[in-house]
Amino acid sequence: MEARMRDAAGFGWATIGMAWGMALLLLAATLAWHVPMMLWDHLDLVPMYEAWQRGAFLSSEALRMHDGSHLHFPAYALLLGTTWLSGGQTLLDCVLAWSLLAIYAWLMLRAMRRALPDTAPAWLLPALVGFALHPGHLANTQWGWQVAVFLCLAGCAVVLAVLSRPAPNWRDNGVALLAMLVAVTSFSTGLAVVPVALGLILVCPVLSWRRRLALAAPWALAAIAIVMIASGSTALQMPAPADFAAYVLNYIGSSVARFATGLAPWLTVLALISGCACTLLSRRDQRARFWLACMAFSLGAAALTALGRVADFGHDHAFVSRYVSFSSMFWIGWLGIVALTLQGMRPSMRSLLRGFVMVVLILGAFNALHMTKKAREVAERSVQTAAAIRDQYPAVDDAILQEIYFGRSEQAKARLDVLHSQGFAPFEER
């Protein structure tokens, strides 16, 4: 056993090299397979860009809920800048998204290093890097609109990193609150970090209860505000419990087995059971707080998405590729809590759990290939769509107009007219 363990006081050059290698591979794939023009939700930026040019950005849709469920204000502000700088080319948007992903991964890896066990299995560090820089992120980096996702993830990573410190202070709490605001106003899934932050503070044994309650107070107020807002929201619906549970299990399992949708929820169930057992074993270890926070945040993201989507789209909707950016954090937390407690288990249980970890990692590797292939297919279809629009304009086929903007042909045509007048993609060659 000792031969298979190694000192985990820090990341060695091999781990750092793997992280850089995966990040650069994601950048290369993003550059090669980026969506080459504003499509789908990205076309919502067109009237905001016009309003910004008139000096009326704040009176546009920028401060309103997108699709009834998300605020994207910080992302809109960044996208307006990249659109202006690039002359309407989406590649710069995608590079920005990748940059924010790299920041998220860096923050997570720094926090992971602080929470590693004294000795770690040989599989742990490569697996953590693999999930932090999951190829499933390509679904978001290749589509410039998804800058909002990585702003949200980076903000949530700051919250988890600073509040999982052994003794967070007022400065840490202030930084976490600001990061939470950026996350929530970028993508509403970031709301899931609020109860997690509250829990991280309340279970911190180093702090006195008086200090814990004082630090937790603003988070409790935020949680109350969220509940009040959610109770009046039409975007959130109370689904049937079975559908809700199936959606959450599918959502989490998609990071490991999106290519095997029948298997994915059962993997989540086994991970939850084993994760609960490991939590009991590590309940006195402060390092467990970070790993459990990662799992809790991802489960909260799944639950929020289920409330907003399962009633209209069914529980298989949870396998949307873009959600892997959030669900992959669950597996980071699960791998960490397993590694933290593995040595303290009975030999039979240790062997069983180690076998399950190997299954997860092997399936995860296949899933990475599957999601890379999906990203390439999205790119190929979007390139074909952009070429057809450029060739057919101004008489673009109605089927294409409906495809690029959710069945709203007239609005799609009006926004293409703006892209054409500005010389934005896909019309830049003209």
Side-chain angles (χ1 to χ4, degrees):
M1 170 63 65
E2 290 300 322
R4 287 189 302 225
M5 308 294 286
R6 63 196 236 184
D7 182 13
F11 291 150
W13 286 110
T15 304
I16 295 171
M18 179 184 174
W20 272 105
M22 289 196 67
L24 292 174
L25 283 173
L26 284 173
L27 176 60
T30 298
L31 296 176
W33 297 334
H34 72 283
V35 175
M37 63 171 288
M38 295 183 190
L39 291 176
W40 315 303
D41 298 88
H42 204 161
L43 285 169
D44 287 335
L45 193 71
V46 172
M48 292 181 216
Y49 189 86
E50 289 187 296
W52 177 59
Q53 288 189 312
R54 297 193 307 270
F57 173 59
L58 294 179
S59 62
S60 68
E61 295 290 322
L63 291 173
R64 298 172 192 170
M65 297 289 281
H66 176 262
D67 197 26
S69 55
H70 294 286
L71 281 171
H72 294 313
F73 180 73
Y76 291 149
L78 290 176
L79 286 170
L80 288 175
T82 54
T83 300
W84 176 73
L85 286 171
S86 67
Q89 305 302 305
T90 56
L91 184 58
L92 187 56
D93 306 332
C94 299
V95 171
L96 174 60
W98 175 86
S99 301
L100 291 167
L101 166 61
I103 292 170
Y104 156 77
W106 176 74
L107 290 165
M108 290 293 291
L109 290 169
R110 281 180 61 88
M112 290 176 206
R113 184 171 59 180
R114 193 172 60 237
L116 290 172
D118 296 327
T119 53
W123 48 261
L124 180 61
L125 298 182
L128 292 177
V129 172
F131 277 104
L133 292 161
H134 197 295
H137 289 307
L138 277 173
N140 290 315
T141 59
Q142 72 177 158
W143 184 26
W145 174 254
Q146 296 295 72
V147 162
V149 166
F150 296 111
L151 268 177
C152 177
L153 280 174
C156 291
V158 170
V159 175
L160 300 184
V162 300
L163 294 184
S164 63
R165 288 173 177 166
N169 54 33
W170 287 108
R171 180 181 177 182
D172 294 332
N173 207 39
V175 169
L177 285 165
L178 288 174
M180 179 271 290
L181 287 174
V182 172
V184 169
T185 55
S186 298
F187 209 75
S188 295
T189 308
L191 291 168
V193 85
V194 174
V196 176
L198 191 58
L200 278 170
I201 294 170
L202 292 178
V203 301
C204 183
V206 175
L207 301 177
S208 67
W209 271 106
R210 183 176 179 180
R211 176 59 65 90
R212 289 188 227 182
L213 292 175
L215 292 174
W219 295 99
L221 292 174
I224 293 169
I226 290 166
V227 171
M228 292 177 64
I229 293 170
S231 63
S233 172
T234 58
L236 299 180
Q237 305 174 51
M238 292 306 298
D243 288 337
F244 176 83
Y247 194 102
V248 170
L249 295 176
N250 288 343
Y251 187 105
I252 299 299
S254 65
S255 285
V256 176
R258 188 188 180 280
F259 67 95
T261 55
L263 179 62
W266 296 107
L267 292 170
T268 307
V269 169
L270 291 174
L272 287 170
I273 293 170
S274 56
C276 288
C278 291
T279 300
L280 290 174
L281 290 172
S282 63
R283 61 188 179 276
R284 291 186 177 87
D285 192 331
Q286 272 221 68
R287 293 171 296 185
R289 290 167 59 237
F290 172 74
W291 305 116
L292 294 174
C294 291
M295 295 174 68
F297 170 74
S298 196
L299 286 167
L304 284 174
T305 310
L307 290 174
R309 295 289 184 262
V310 70
D312 293 330
F313 302 107
H315 53 73
D316 282 344
H317 179 266
F319 291 111
V320 169
S321 300
R322 296 187 300 276
Y323 294 158
V324 170
S325 290
F326 292 98
S327 63
S328 57
M329 201 184 290
F330 173 89
W331 297 99
I332 289 173
W334 180 77
L335 288 166
I337 199 71
V338 166
L340 201 61
T341 55
L342 205 56
Q343 280 297 95
M345 292 182 176
R346 290 178 299 174
S348 58
M349 291 300 297
R350 186 163 60 242
S351 297
L352 187 63
L353 188 52
R354 189 186 298 118
F356 180 47
V357 168
M358 291 302 107
V359 169
V360 167
L361 296 182
I362 291 169
L363 290 173
F366 280 109
N367 202 49
L369 295 174
H370 166 77
M371 299 202 76
T372 301
K373 178 175 177 288
K374 295 291 291 184
R376 186 188 66 190
E377 291 171 353
V378 169
E380 290 172 350
R381 289 198 303 272
S382 66
V383 167
Q384 292 169 3
T385 299
I389 290 170
R390 183 169 55 246
D391 294 340
Q392 295 178 14
Y393 188 85
V396 180
D397 188 89
D398 190 68
I400 293 177
L401 294 175
Q402 292 193 42
E403 176 191 345
I404 66 171
Y405 199 58
F406 314 109
R408 290 174 276 183
S409 304
E410 291 185 8
Q411 286 178 285
K413 179 59 168 61
R415 294 180 187 194
L416 287 181
D417 289 342
V418 175
L419 296 183
H420 185 268
S421 67
Q422 295 278 354
F424 288 175
F427 304 111
E428 70 283 358
E429 291 181 4
R430 295 188 178 183

